[in-house]
Amino acid sequence: MKFGRPRGTRDFLPDEMGVRRVILDKVRNAFEMHGFEEMDTPAIELWEVLAAKGGDEVERQIYRFQDKGERWLGLRFDLTVPLARVVANTPDLTKPFKRFNISKVWRYEEPQSGRFREFVQADIDIVGAARIEADLECVSTAVDALRALGLGDFEVRINDRKILDGMVEGLGMGAEGKAKVFRSLDRLDKVGEEGVARELAAMGLPEDKAAAVLEFTHFRGQEAIDYVARELASSKAAMEGVEELKRIEALAGAFGLGGAMRIDFSLVRGLDYYTGPVFEIRTKTAQIGSIGGGGRYDRLIERFGGPPTPATGISLGVERLYEVLMEKIRAEGRRSGTAVFVASVNDAVAEEAVKISRELVGMGVPAEPDIMGRKLGRQLEYAEKKGIPYVLIVGPEEVRTGKFKLRKMAEKQETVTGLQGVPAIVR
Amino acid sequence: MKFGRPRGTRDFLPDEMGVRRVILDKVRNAFEMHGFEEMDTPAIELWEVLAAKGGDEVERQIYRFQDKGERWLGLRFDLTVPLARVVANTPDLTKPFKRFNISKVWRYEEPQSGRFREFVQADIDIVGAARIEADLECVSTAVDALRALGLGDFEVRINDRKILDGMVEGLGMGAEGKAKVFRSLDRLDKVGEEGVARELAAMGLPEDKAAAVLEFTHFRGQEAIDYVARELASSKAAMEGVEELKRIEALAGAFGLGGAMRIDFSLVRGLDYYTGPVFEIRTKTAQIGSIGGGGRYDRLIERFGGPPTPATGISLGVERLYEVLMEKIRAEGRRSGTAVFVASVNDAVAEEAVKISRELVGMGVPAEPDIMGRKLGRQLEYAEKKGIPYVLIVGPEEVRTGKFKLRKMAEKQETVTGLQGVPAIVR
């Protein structure tokens, strides 16, 4: 009898995990280079914490269960809720609090291509900074991570929730109704204009108003700015939003984002807690749509019992990055971390081979000896299969003289060297 | 209203997470230096997988729940079960398969000092190698990880399940009875000899046999070897076990473990799946008992539907390492990853400061600008609080001349330098 895995989860064998590790390390490094610091929170949270963020759809996706004390718990579905809980409980954090977290989250969704029930998010957030510079710092840091991964050809779509708020002011809907409109618009890519029109109609929105909402989403760039000046000039919120977008465009160059920002009124982002600029990063290198997104959420910390606290952040989708970069990184990298396999020609020198392998490790060379008493030919096959670039061959004569054959596997070339010479050759 | 965390879980703010990251990275590096490769599996497993390992006590500790399709799942309670599942399902793995996994596991235990419901284990295992060299490779690699952390003063207690099997042969108990005896002996440290004696009596073991079992646990080193030769010579299993221990002692020096191995018959390890040598690593530096342990488990892969496959492994307790090393690493390290805070003397140069910060990052110097429009004094306070070692001061004159004051915070010393000179100074 064999055993499976839960649907929508994956195992990563070393070959695949090596590729993921390259991505995770480069993203981490980009975050750290810009002064973001790592924070970790539990995978399990109290149910009331997960539910505090709100949104039925999200709640339906949570893995929820009781512990043995009958307390309701759940697996976290994002990294923002735990951040908000911690910030609300830790009033003395030095501000701005710039944290990153690269961790697994879980959502009970229908698994499909590129969608999983367990997946990794890479989040950066800045808490305690109200200025637009904080938003730009998040975007530019996320973009630097993509650049480090060779995905330099990107586009950042931007919009502002304040403009969206101004746009829906005239619809005569309550807060929940507005949130529904935003969630529907967020699905424009998936269900198309007709789909959204049907959903808006189902909410009871008259046809002309629904048409106006859909028309709004068509505007881009300067036309979008002009549209607000023309149609939403009476909305204080919308005018504030426009000022924010203008300021973002003015500062983009300093943050290394010159020419990459596109005002796009079809960008909504479904979560109801955004309060200002929202972002979505797309790479042009691969046709995979959004690779990350986020925005400003100045009221979320309050929902968790904290004082009013400005906050903004971006989440990169590590699974998307993995999908795009898998082949490329695999082609670049060698599969095994071991630099030198220490082969022994017979059992009598196996113990010496162990010592030599440990000496190499001591010199900073990743090495491993044979531990199975295999014949030399089988040992070489193993090194070959694992993609280990060098094999050091240990026989009685080599042990006596201290001179060893070091075989470069790719070229089947041998150099004779003392152990001290190995590090320089293999680096 | 504030929200809490599930009992037995923890948040790690950057100050603490930085310490954990040092430990995790050093352990990872030691594993990789010896040719172990990373593998990752889901945090959630099907219930039948978690239950296949056996043992009521373990099952009671599993966080168990149904998904929305009413399938029973659970959070993994160790990293060995997922490994066994993967190996059983992947017959073509290149052997020996040397993998590491440093990840979270969950157990519903009563939280107490140093025990948590969510904690990190660092596991190395070798699958497909039957020789004792594989066991020693695991022990020596784990010990190298401890050495890298400055815990060089350690002791490895060893025993062999075959000897324990030989010892209990005479008790006239079935497999489940033997497993119970082992689990009881494993609690010797916790409940003492009287406690174990009571448990053995409760299993129906006659007093003289219980006394013999307890006497057995007193033997150490050569006396232990002699005891087996004298009392258990008729047990094939026990004699095989002794040969394994002798071989381990003979090879210990080659694996860098000379003088550190102690045969100790009180070492049992509770899990019922061990089949050969078992190990426990204690550091003498801190009085915290076991910091890791493991052993050979040649029959476990079969329980998961795989072919008979030899395997051995060791698990390091990262939480124990954190407990021991927290203060030391914190004292050594600087708290922030940022090397240079780029301060602006007024808002007019804030944009220049952003550009300069990005230039420094481009030169490989972790840097961050002010993003809050604070007065210079407040900016310096922030850098101070965060433990950022250098502040570069940007004013209109500095922008004009390209010469900047770089303040070393600890010594309140200033150097005047061009941007190109910064990397050399801060390294």
Side-chain angles (χ1 to χ4, degrees), chain A residues 1 3 11-12 21 33 35 37-38 40 43 62 68 85 88-89 118 128 144 305 338 358 367 372 386, chain B residues 1-3 11-12 21 33 35 37-38 40 43 62 68 85 88-89 118 128 144 305 338 358 367 372 386:
Chain A
M1 178 184 177
F3 294 99
D11 296 318
F12 296 105
R21 183 52 60 194
M33 286 300 289
E37 297 183 311
E38 190 173 12
D40 184 49
I62 298 174
K68 284 154 220 280
R85 173 179 59 69
N89 286 327
E118 175 177 289
D144 269 10
T338 301
R358 291 189 57 81
M372 295 178 78
K386 297 279 284 184
Chain B
M1 179 185 178
K2 300 267 167 131
F3 294 99
D11 296 318
F12 297 105
R21 184 53 58 194
M33 285 301 290
E37 296 182 311
E38 190 172 12
D40 184 49
I62 297 175
K68 283 153 221 278
R85 174 180 58 69
N89 287 327
E118 174 176 292
D144 270 10
T338 301
R358 292 190 56 82
M372 295 177 77
K386 297 279 284 184

Side-chain angles (χ1 to χ4, degrees), chain A residues 132 135 158-167 169 216 221 224-229 232-250 262-265 267 274-279 296 298:
Chain A
I132 218 79
D135 304 82
I158 60 173
N159 196 357
D160 197 294
R161 266 298 171 88
K162 290 175 183 163
I163 298 175
L164 286 156
D165 283 337
M167 186 268 294
E169 268 168 24
F216 171 86
I225 301 277
D226 295 343
Y227 172 87
V228 177
L232 301 172
S234 64
S235 162
K236 190 164 164 281
M239 295 312 288
E240 272 181 37
V242 161
E243 285 312 308
E244 288 180 354
L245 292 185
K246 284 184 183 167
R247 179 111 181 102
I248 287 173
E249 292 204 314
R262 304 262 173 276
I263 295 174
D264 182 339
F265 279 180
L267 174 70
Y274 289 116
T275 56
V278 288
F279 302 93
R296 178 163 285 278
D298 284 349

Side-chain angles (χ1 to χ4, degrees), chain A residues 7-237:
Chain A
R7 280 191 74 194
T9 67
R10 290 160 295 168
D11 296 318
F12 296 105
L13 289 168
D15 188 26
E16 298 157 303
M17 193 59 210
V19 171
R20 289 174 76 81
R21 183 52 60 194
V22 169
I23 296 172
L24 297 171
D25 282 353
K26 287 194 174 172
V27 169
R28 161 188 301 279
N29 183 59
F31 292 174
E32 287 177 341
M33 286 300 289
H34 288 281
F36 288 83
E37 297 183 311
E38 190 173 12
M39 184 173 101
D40 184 49
T41 63
I44 46 181
E45 292 276 355
L46 299 178
W47 172 253
E48 54 265 35
V49 170
L50 299 174
K53 188 171 173 181
D56 281 357
E57 200 178 349
V58 167
E59 278 190 29
R60 269 198 302 276
Q61 293 179 345
I62 298 174
Y63 282 92
R64 180 170 183 250
F65 52 95
Q66 282 182 296
D67 71 13
K68 284 154 220 280
E70 304 203 337
R71 196 114 162 71
W72 281 102
L73 308 172
L75 296 178
R76 66 175 169 217
F77 61 91
D78 76 358
L79 302 170
T80 309
V81 165
L83 173 67
R85 173 179 59 69
V86 169
V87 170
N89 286 327
T90 321
D92 59 344
L93 281 177
T94 301
K95 305 284 170 34
F97 179 59
K98 296 168 69 175
R99 88 89 179 78
F100 75 88
N101 189 356
I102 304 172
S103 289
K104 286 181 177 177
V105 302
W106 294 265
R107 290 186 195 171
Y108 190 82
E109 291 187 293
E110 224 20 71
Q112 44 178 284
S113 164
R115 288 231 173 192
F116 304 97
R117 290 185 177 173
E118 175 177 289
F119 57 99
V120 173
Q121 287 191 331
D123 278 27
I124 42 176
D125 292 82
I126 301 181
V127 173
R131 290 196 174 201
I132 218 79
E133 282 85 341
D135 304 82
L136 281 158
E137 175 90 337
C138 288
V139 176
S140 67
T141 300
V143 159
D144 269 10
L146 298 182
R147 286 194 184 109
L149 290 164
L151 298 172
D153 199 13
F154 59 88
E155 179 181 86
V156 183
R157 297 161 70 209
I158 60 173
N159 196 357
D160 197 294
R161 266 298 171 88
K162 290 175 183 163
I163 298 175
L164 286 156
D165 283 337
M167 186 268 294
V168 295
E169 268 168 24
L171 302 181
M173 306 182 93
E176 185 46 35
K178 288 182 194 175
K180 269 193 186 166
V181 171
F182 293 161
R183 277 201 293 275
S184 180
L185 288 179
D186 189 43
R187 287 148 42 78
L188 204 50
D189 271 0
K190 284 183 204 149
V191 301
E193 294 218 350
E194 282 179 38
V196 172
R198 264 195 304 276
E199 290 179 7
L200 295 178
M203 290 172 212
L205 211 62
E207 209 172 309
D208 60 328
K209 288 193 172 174
V213 168
L214 280 169
E215 196 208 356
F216 171 86
T217 66
H218 295 166
F219 290 98
R220 306 281 182 275
Q222 188 56 43
E223 276 187 12
I225 301 277
D226 295 343
Y227 172 87
V228 177
R230 192 172 68 237
E231 304 287 334
L232 301 172
S234 64
S235 162
K236 190 164 164 281

Side-chain angles (χ1 to χ4, degrees), chain A residues 201-382:
Chain A
M203 290 172 212
L205 211 62
E207 209 172 309
D208 60 328
K209 288 193 172 174
V213 168
L214 280 169
E215 196 208 356
F216 171 86
T217 66
H218 295 166
F219 290 98
R220 306 281 182 275
Q222 188 56 43
E223 276 187 12
I225 301 277
D226 295 343
Y227 172 87
V228 177
R230 192 172 68 237
E231 304 287 334
L232 301 172
S234 64
S235 162
K236 190 164 164 281
M239 295 312 288
E240 272 181 37
V242 161
E243 285 312 308
E244 288 180 354
L245 292 185
K246 284 184 183 167
R247 179 111 181 102
I248 287 173
E249 292 204 314
L251 284 171
F255 280 93
L257 297 164
M261 310 293 254
R262 304 262 173 276
I263 295 174
D264 182 339
F265 279 180
S266 73
L267 174 70
V268 175
R269 299 197 63 80
L271 294 165
D272 70 337
Y273 58 64
Y274 289 116
T275 56
V278 288
F279 302 93
E280 200 167 86
I281 305 174
R282 287 165 182 257
T283 164
K284 296 184 198 162
T285 314
Q287 293 309 315
I288 50 156
S290 167
I291 210 145
R296 178 163 285 278
Y297 52 97
D298 284 349
R299 316 298 302 268
L300 189 65
I301 314 295
E302 285 166 79
R303 286 201 209 164
F304 288 85
T309 310
T312 182
I314 279 202
S315 181
L316 286 179
V318 170
E319 307 310 334
R320 283 282 171 88
L321 293 173
Y322 179 59
E323 203 182 313
V324 178
L325 295 170
M326 189 164 34
E327 295 308 328
K328 181 170 162 267
I329 295 174
R330 195 171 286 173
E332 282 166 5
R334 105 187 122 75
R335 285 174 54 210
S336 172
T338 301
V340 178
F341 181 81
V342 183
S344 28
V345 301
N346 61 42
D347 242 19
V349 292
E351 203 173 324
E352 278 303 322
V354 168
K355 284 186 201 165
I356 288 165
S357 179
R358 291 189 57 81
E359 271 188 69
L360 291 175
V361 169
M363 295 178 209
V365 176
E368 56 178 306
D370 177 52
I371 49 171
M372 295 178 78
R374 290 172 291 195
K375 298 236 181 285
L376 183 60
R378 298 285 311 284
Q379 294 178 50
L380 294 174
E381 271 172 46
Y382 168 79

Side-chain angles (χ1 to χ4, degrees), chain B residues 88-105:
Chain B
N89 287 327
T90 321
D92 59 343
L93 282 175
T94 302
K95 306 283 170 40
F97 179 61
K98 296 168 69 174
R99 89 87 180 77
F100 75 88
N101 190 357
I102 305 173
S103 288
K104 287 182 176 177
V105 301

Side-chain angles (χ1 to χ4, degrees), chain B residues 39 41-45 49-54 58 61-63 74-85 99 101-108 117 119-123 125 269 271-274 297 300 304 315:
Chain B
M39 184 174 101
T41 63
I44 46 180
E45 293 275 355
V49 170
L50 299 173
K53 187 171 175 181
V58 167
Q61 293 179 347
I62 297 175
Y63 282 93
L75 295 177
R76 67 176 168 216
F77 60 92
D78 76 358
L79 302 170
T80 309
V81 164
L83 172 67
R85 174 180 58 69
R99 89 87 180 77
N101 190 357
I102 305 173
S103 288
K104 287 182 176 177
V105 301
W106 295 265
R107 291 187 195 171
Y108 190 83
R117 290 185 177 173
F119 56 100
V120 173
Q121 287 191 329
D123 276 28
D125 292 82
R269 300 196 62 80
L271 294 167
D272 70 337
Y273 59 63
Y274 289 116
Y297 53 96
L300 188 65
F304 289 85
S315 181

